Amino acid sequence: MARIASESLIERLVEWGVDTVFGLPGDGINGIMEGLRRHRDRVRFVLVHHEEAAAFMATGYAKATGRIGVCLATSGPGGIHLLNGLYDAKLDHVPVLAITGMQETSVLGTGYQQEVHLDRLFADVAEYNMMITNPAQLPSLVDQAVRTAYARRGVSHLTLPNDIQVAEADADPYKHVAPVRLPQTAPVYLQSSGIPRQEDVEWAAEVLNRAERPAMLVGQGALHARQEVLAVAEALGAPVVKTLPGKAVIPDDSPYTTGGIGLLGTRPSEELMEEADVLFMVGTNFPYSKFLPEPGKVRVVQFEAEPTRAGARIATDVPVVCDAKEGLAALLPLLSRRDDTAHLAKYQRMTAEWRADMDALENPERDPIAPQYPVSILDELAADDAIMTCDSGTVATWAARHWTVRGGREFYLSGTLASMANGLPYAIAMQHAFPGRQVIAYVGDGGFSMLMAEFLTAVQQRLPIKVIVNNNNSLGQILWEQMVLGYPEHGVRYAEPEADFSAWARSCGGFGAKVTKADDVGLTIGQALAHDGPALVDVDVNPNEPPLPAKVSYEQAKNFAQAFLKGQPHRAAIATTLFKDRIQRMGD
């Protein structure tokens, strides 16, 4: 049996440490599927139900492991479906390789069926983007694609025409004058040292040592640097604010953190951004600059791995290009330990008050069920090394404020892209990567319904993921965004009948339970977590619970009131919910 070019592709991926490919077959990749079949003892192919899920799985795999995620789709519509998940990888800076099919080279340009030039379509999303036109290009271009994905922390794309996929692996049909030179060295995992220049570290230390009211802002680029972040925070006496993708950098119960920032953040974090005289940004390119200190009123030190992102959000006095862990380790010996802890103590008191306010909203007596309550139960019952994946929407607010990172817990969501539907595919990929850990997808009804077929994937592959659906029968985040703009809600609540996703879970062969009363939340989530296979709990929550920002601005309050005056259809229920929230935060 002749060795085909697709085998060369798969074999080179194996040399790069790839052991899993997420995808959906089609006639445009039958040759690649044959390459995978011939090497099925070396690479696991995870069959999904939608290509978008495959791309999300590759992205989630890369986020959780630090290794390149690989997804595979057929030509035309299959490749098109990958794009949303690939943009998630691009915007959150994780290495992903997308492999797609293409029509035979002899018919390209003729308007053949499903002829979509995916290399052109992927031009914006991909850092490296190439159509293979000669088997001799493999494995050299695989090396280029993987190296680029790692080095630039983004997406690479290779598309292979059908005839190239099944050609003999060593064929060079064009008899080139300059023959392709195959790589002479085996690939190695690409990880730059990230060590900063000494003069830059000394410059950063000088600014930080002069700070009277320092603040640290840490993001996902510092997820591997927990001990270094805590050590620097202790030396500076600096409160630490965490971006949502960086929620797991340090524990939520750490005495150094004030919690999150932005619309889903905390009041202490917002006030710290207003008061700080020096801001130390580590591993973050936080995009919402309106939540950062006013330019000119604070000095900024930034540790950033990518030179083009240093200083992109706020005027930066000391931009240092380095890996977060390497940079903090080099900085720590140069810091003058702060004896005056009054600044830190002030924010510790404020954070304790904020947490008490949030705890008060986790009320089991509310009917309909307050959405804060189920996630608080999940937080209480989940393992200390659990991985939570989260969809975009109001669920992100409840997770940000009521899911506690402690021990070895991790937290992942679609950060900069803020896509819906990522939570379930992420969970499947991470359960593949960490079969011994508890993996929980905390999702909304809107996001879950988009890719709910992947729960069947989890059952078919015997993956014990747990799915908790925060079901408000609406697109809750958009509802509140409409009102904050001053408009009555429109087109954001689903009609009757309301979805019962637990029935779908049971029909797939998994555990499925519907919860409509708060009294049943704890027992049912406990049963789901204890189940030895895939489990789903669909919880009906109050659709009129607003995900309020930590500090409501005058403009937001005015627009909210205008939405009521213009005819907000559920204003009575919303007003009642707001009143109950206010009473409970006062101590009920």
Side-chain angles (χ1 to χ4, degrees):
M1 184 169 55
R3 180 169 169 268
I4 59 176
S6 291
E7 289 186 82
S8 179
L9 166 70
I10 303 304
E11 289 163 1
R12 201 60 177 172
L13 290 177
V14 169
E15 291 187 65
W16 277 100
V18 172
D19 58 11
T20 305
V21 173
F22 304 94
L24 188 65
D27 59 3
I29 51 171
N30 280 337
I32 298 175
M33 292 302 299
E34 174 60 13
L36 284 164
R37 188 192 69 83
R38 295 184 186 186
H39 295 281
R40 58 190 180 276
D41 59 331
R42 306 173 74 188
V43 178
R44 170 178 52 198
F45 177 70
V46 177
L47 174 61
V48 305
H49 286 84
H50 194 289
E51 290 94 351
E52 181 180 358
F56 273 134
M57 290 178 192
T59 300
Y61 185 92
K63 286 183 176 183
T65 66
R67 302 196 303 273
I68 193 165
V70 182
C71 55
L72 173 65
T74 191
S75 54
I80 293 169
H81 285 160
L82 292 176
L83 280 171
N84 194 51
L86 296 180
Y87 270 101
D88 187 32
K90 172 186 172 71
L91 297 183
D92 278 355
H93 312 296
V94 294
V96 167
L97 172 62
I99 302 171
T100 63
M102 179 67 70
Q103 279 65 29
E104 287 84 354
T105 55
S106 61
V107 300
L108 291 178
T110 68
Y112 200 75
Q113 185 184 32
Q114 294 188 341
E115 183 182 345
V116 177
H117 291 261
L118 295 172
D119 51 331
R120 302 176 195 170
L121 182 66
F122 284 29
D124 180 61
V125 75
E127 297 286 345
Y128 185 86
N129 185 21
M130 184 62 65
M131 182 169 72
I132 306 297
T133 56
N134 186 335
Q137 291 175 284
L138 295 165
S140 297
L141 296 195
V142 174
D143 287 356
Q144 288 292 103
V146 176
R147 284 195 183 102
T148 303
Y150 274 130
R152 298 183 183 172
R153 303 186 186 194
V155 175
S156 285
H157 171 233
L158 294 175
T159 187
L160 281 73
N162 283 340
D163 52 332
I164 302 297
Q165 295 173 30
V166 297
E168 289 191 14
D170 298 325
D172 185 3
Y174 306 110
K175 298 180 180 178
H176 290 90
V177 174
V180 174
R181 178 174 295 173
L182 296 179
Q184 298 300 307
T185 56
V188 293
Y189 177 71
L190 203 68
Q191 178 67 56
S192 60
S193 66
I195 298 174
R197 298 190 309 172
Q198 181 63 25
E199 55 265 39
D200 288 343
V201 179
E202 292 174 356
W203 186 16
E206 180 183 350
V207 173
L208 292 168
N209 285 332
R210 292 181 179 179
E212 297 181 0
R213 300 179 303 281
M216 294 182 69
L217 175 61
V218 300
Q220 62 183 346
L223 284 171
H224 63 307
R226 173 178 290 186
Q227 297 308 315
E228 289 78 9
V229 168
L230 289 171
V232 169
E234 179 182 8
L236 293 174
V240 180
V241 180
K242 302 184 293 182
T243 68
L244 194 52
K247 182 175 172 64
V249 171
I250 64 174
D252 283 314
D253 56 4
S254 166
Y256 293 101
T257 187
T258 59
I261 187 175
L263 288 174
L264 284 61
T266 71
R267 187 181 304 112
S269 292
E270 286 208 24
E271 298 198 6
L272 178 61
M273 289 296 109
E274 295 171 1
E275 186 187 22
D277 64 344
V278 173
L279 176 64
F280 186 14
M281 300 173 66
V282 182
T284 179
N285 190 36
F286 184 70
Y288 308 106
S289 56
K290 69 178 181 179
F291 293 102
L292 297 176
E294 188 175 336
K297 291 190 175 182
V298 62
R299 299 197 71 184
V300 178
V301 176
Q302 184 175 9
F303 280 14
E304 169 58 59
E306 169 55 51
T308 61
R309 295 197 296 265
R313 305 302 184 192
I314 187 173
T316 304
D317 298 82
V318 188
V320 182
V321 177
C322 65
D323 170 76
K325 187 180 184 73
E326 298 277 7
L328 294 175
L331 173 70
L332 193 59
L334 304 179
L335 295 178
S336 302
R337 188 165 297 273
R338 185 181 300 274
D339 295 325
D340 182 2
T341 60
H343 172 66
L344 177 62
K346 172 184 174 180
Y347 283 94
Q348 289 173 333
R349 291 191 297 271
M350 292 172 62
T351 302
E353 293 171 0
W354 170 264
R355 289 174 180 159
D357 283 347
M358 295 300 101
D359 290 346
L361 297 176
E362 300 169 355
N363 191 323
E365 306 300 323
R366 297 273 286 273
D367 184 25
I369 300 170
Q372 298 93 332
Y373 180 59
V375 72
S376 74
I377 293 297
L378 185 60
D379 180 56
E380 176 186 336
L381 298 180
D384 280 352
D385 68 343
I387 299 173
M388 174 181 275
T389 66
C390 183
D391 260 0
S392 297
T394 55
V395 287
T397 299
W398 315 135
R401 295 175 177 175
H402 302 276
W403 169 259
T404 305
V405 170
R406 61 174 180 264
R409 283 185 175 178
E410 297 178 45
F411 178 80
Y412 298 96
L413 80 170
S414 175
T416 306
L417 186 63
S419 176
M420 295 172 66
N422 64 287
L424 178 58
Y426 273 21
I428 290 172
M430 293 178 191
Q431 193 73 84
H432 271 297
F434 302 104
R437 293 179 66 177
Q438 189 178 69
V439 181
I440 302 165
Y442 178 54
V443 299
D445 55 293
F448 180 75
S449 62
M450 290 179 175
L451 291 174
M452 59 188 287
E454 302 308 331
F455 187 82
L456 180 57
T457 300
V459 175
Q460 292 167 334
Q461 296 172 9
R462 296 175 174 80
L463 299 172
I465 64 167
K466 314 305 175 188
V467 181
I468 310 299
V469 183
N470 182 84
N471 193 341
N472 55 21
N473 200 42
S474 65
L475 300 173
Q477 189 70 33
I478 308 305
L479 186 161
W480 300 107
E481 288 172 350
Q482 288 179 352
M483 292 185 67
V484 168
L485 290 173
Y487 308 136
E489 66 174 71
H490 179 70
V492 290
R493 299 196 194 227
Y494 292 105
E496 301 289 340
E498 294 187 8
D500 181 355
F501 297 111
S502 68
W504 165 244
R506 292 191 299 274
S507 74
C508 292
F511 174 98
K514 182 73 169 177
V515 176
T516 60
K517 298 295 182 183
D519 289 346
D520 299 326
V521 170
L523 176 63
T524 309
I525 289 180
Q527 290 173 335
L529 294 178
H531 185 67
D532 63 358
L536 181 147
V537 179
D538 183 3
V539 186
D540 285 352
V541 299
N542 186 0
N544 299 306
E545 179 75 35
L548 292 175
K551 294 177 71 174
V552 179
S553 69
Y554 170 76
E555 190 68 23
Q556 288 170 327
K558 182 183 73 173
N559 289 344
F560 198 77
Q562 286 178 346
F564 269 62
L565 294 173
K566 291 176 182 177
Q568 169 60 28
H570 297 272
R571 55 185 177 273
I574 292 171
T576 300
T577 301
L578 287 169
F579 177 74
K580 290 180 179 179
D581 284 352
R582 179 65 176 169
I583 292 296
Q584 284 163 359
R585 290 176 68 169
M586 291 173 62
D588 195 18

